[in-house]
Amino acid sequence: MPRIARILLSRTTLLTAVLISTLSCSSEPVPEAVDTSSYAKSEASVDTMKAEQTGPPRIRFTDVTAESGIDFVHQTGAFGEKWMPESLASGCMVFDYDQDGLSDVLFLNGTFWPGHKGEGGAPTPRLYRNKGGMRFEDVTEQAGLNVAVYGMGGTAGDYDGDGDPDLYLTSVGDNLLLRNDGGRFVDVTINAGVGGGAWETDDGRREPEWSTSAAWVDVDSDGWIDLFVGNYVQWSPETDLFASIDGENKSYATPQEYRGLSARLYRNLGNGRFEDVTEASGVYNPDGKTMGVAVSDYDSDGDPDIFVTNDTQPNFLYKNAGNGTFEDVALMGGVAYDEAGRARAGMGVDVARVDASGRIGIAIGNFSRESLSLYVQADKDLFIDFAGKKRIATPTLLPLTFGVAFVDIDLDGYADIVCVNGHLEPEINRVQKEITYRQRPQLFWNDGTKKFVDMSESAGSGFERAIVGRGLAYGDLDNDGDIDLVMVENGGTPILTRNDSKTSNAIRVRLVGEAPNTMALGAKVRVVSAGRFSEQMVRTGSSYMSQSETVLTFGLGAATVADSLVVRWGKNSPTLLTSLVAGQTVVISQNGSVVEVPFVESN
């Protein structure tokens, strides 16, 4: 059994851990904050550590969509006019809506435009309940989610502190806050005050904001999770502009043609209502054209920071001052523009520690001929784009990348990169022969030292089908300990992939926080095993208008035991566990209880 301790810390004193265990051992101090330099390894020492590995492992993702029971088909509502939102939707979500220990899948969906109804009923989001063994059933209607909106993205979080995840769905129009009442979702948007804002046309007409990615995050550390909502551009059917790639036929417009919209930040008041604190918090910026939102504590000061990708506008890095107010430090941090000083078409985004030194990496999907961005932390507040050095710039130059995620595919302890690609314009190949509309997903394996290796061609049937890729989310859908993937196709069918790779050892960590932050958003988990250090934060958002599971997976490589695991619950006392055996999910409650659940045997 693991050895557990809870330790109170001051800013100047480290108290010795008092271990609650029948096993004899020496106690460990728990450092107040993670000092990555104490765990940093030179590239030479990491090379030595990986010397036994002669090359990339066998990576195999199997497309199990057909037999999974997921029969979703994304609807764009297109009727020939090529309205801008049709080309950008939609995201997906992996979360456990009914709290049965199995991750479920929600697909956002478009719907019919006013005056242009198609056959059958109006398309809606679709929720698939996980029955185990990679089998799913459609529970959309019984869950109360058969609501027709032009959906873009979503995020799940327990905003009311009752123990189950609620949903916030973004759209071209009014957004929705859906409270989870025992597995059935109830629309509480109007009472909560989070339906979104409006913008004014040149002739004085008010139009609803077009929202994209969103994330639940406790920005002021009061225990109540707040809501950050990204907005795109000032578009409506009445203000749609003509654009063309061949000079004759209408194509989908680019964001340069439209004015931007500021993101919004809603502070949770703890009574079911929210206050719009966009201006007071410092995140108001009407030049934003948000596509992706990622939460991290990049400067390790204990407060959640927010990274925002903007389409053809500079990215934002909102540094939290510690009280829920923010300063955009992207320009000084080197992440606003590319190395040539240009704003890229930032789409999806993710943040993770990318090597043995513990440095933060920011991966951003961009437009065709822009390549993936991989900003790596050179100093606490400074990043450098290492896409070229890490050998991912060339293979990502032609694809248009939307969904992007750091995922430890083979559980060796290093975050790999998955990209979901697809162009905006169906006729792009007529004018740019080297670029296709449908594009294959990509997988880059992290060798833990100097580079990422393109494994896309040998990654299995899950990476073989070319799609018009948009959303990407991940989670251990069959509870066997490794990470599976869900990819969304715009106007088509998704790809559900089962990870059948040759993987190393791992432990998974599910945190249960004290109310009101029952999902423990913002909590950080640090694992040390065989002299190696890894840290992750429980968070929502990331990728492209999608959300992945909030259970954390720690690859241990060849190690069979995690020497220590520290949970930092924000301002509350941390928890220490030692001698955790690989091959299990550890459910850790903030009240001190620990439950160990073995992985299910792999297929």
Side-chain angles (χ1 to χ4, degrees), residues 425-440:
E425 177 52 53
E427 302 300 320
I428 187 62
N429 191 240
R430 290 176 51 224
V431 293
Q432 298 182 33
K433 298 301 182 182
E434 71 278 23
I435 297 177
T436 60
Y437 180 48
R438 288 179 171 80
Q439 301 172 359
R440 289 175 59 175

Side-chain angles (χ1 to χ4, degrees), residues 170 210-215 228-232 261-264 290 293 308:
T170 62
W210 172 0
S211 298
T212 52
S213 292
F228 186 92
V229 183
N231 291 316
Y232 194 45
L261 291 167
S262 177
R264 290 189 178 272
T290 298
V293 174
V308 177

Side-chain angles (χ1 to χ4, degrees), residues 75-249:
Q75 301 292 333
T76 67
F79 60 97
E81 289 298 313
K82 290 194 173 182
W83 283 353
M84 196 178 185
E86 298 166 1
S87 65
L88 295 173
S90 297
C92 61
M93 300 173 62
V94 173
F95 73 114
D96 186 3
Y97 91 97
D98 55 0
Q99 300 291 277
D100 65 351
L102 295 169
S103 291
D104 311 299
V105 181
L106 174 67
F107 293 97
L108 283 303
N109 206 359
T111 194
F112 301 138
W113 293 111
H116 299 278
K117 292 184 178 181
E119 296 181 0
T124 72
R126 296 279 292 277
L127 176 63
Y128 291 87
R129 178 179 174 271
N130 192 337
K131 300 193 295 182
M134 297 296 276
R135 298 287 300 173
F136 295 81
E137 63 175 332
D138 189 336
V139 294
T140 305
E141 186 170 354
Q142 65 194 66
L145 290 176
N146 52 337
V147 181
V149 295
Y150 206 100
M152 300 300 291
T155 183
D158 183 13
Y159 85 91
D160 54 0
D162 67 351
D164 51 24
D166 310 296
L167 285 175
Y168 188 78
L169 305 184
T170 62
S171 75
V172 184
D174 294 334
N175 301 324
L176 295 176
L177 176 60
L178 304 170
R179 188 183 65 215
N180 190 338
D181 288 350
R184 184 169 180 83
F185 292 93
V186 178
D187 188 347
V188 294
T189 311
I190 294 177
N191 182 65
V194 292
W199 56 277
E200 191 171 289
T201 65
D202 292 338
D203 59 3
R205 186 176 62 255
R206 290 179 62 80
E207 298 281 0
E209 292 172 340
W210 172 0
S211 298
T212 52
S213 292
W216 294 102
V217 50
D218 185 5
V219 299
D220 51 5
S221 301
D222 66 351
W224 294 96
I225 60 173
D226 311 299
L227 181 61
F228 186 92
V229 183
N231 291 316
Y232 194 45
V233 297
Q234 296 182 10
W235 177 93
S236 70
E238 291 75 22
T239 60
D240 183 68
L241 299 174
F242 180 90
S244 177
I245 62 173
D246 62 7
E248 297 181 9
N249 301 297

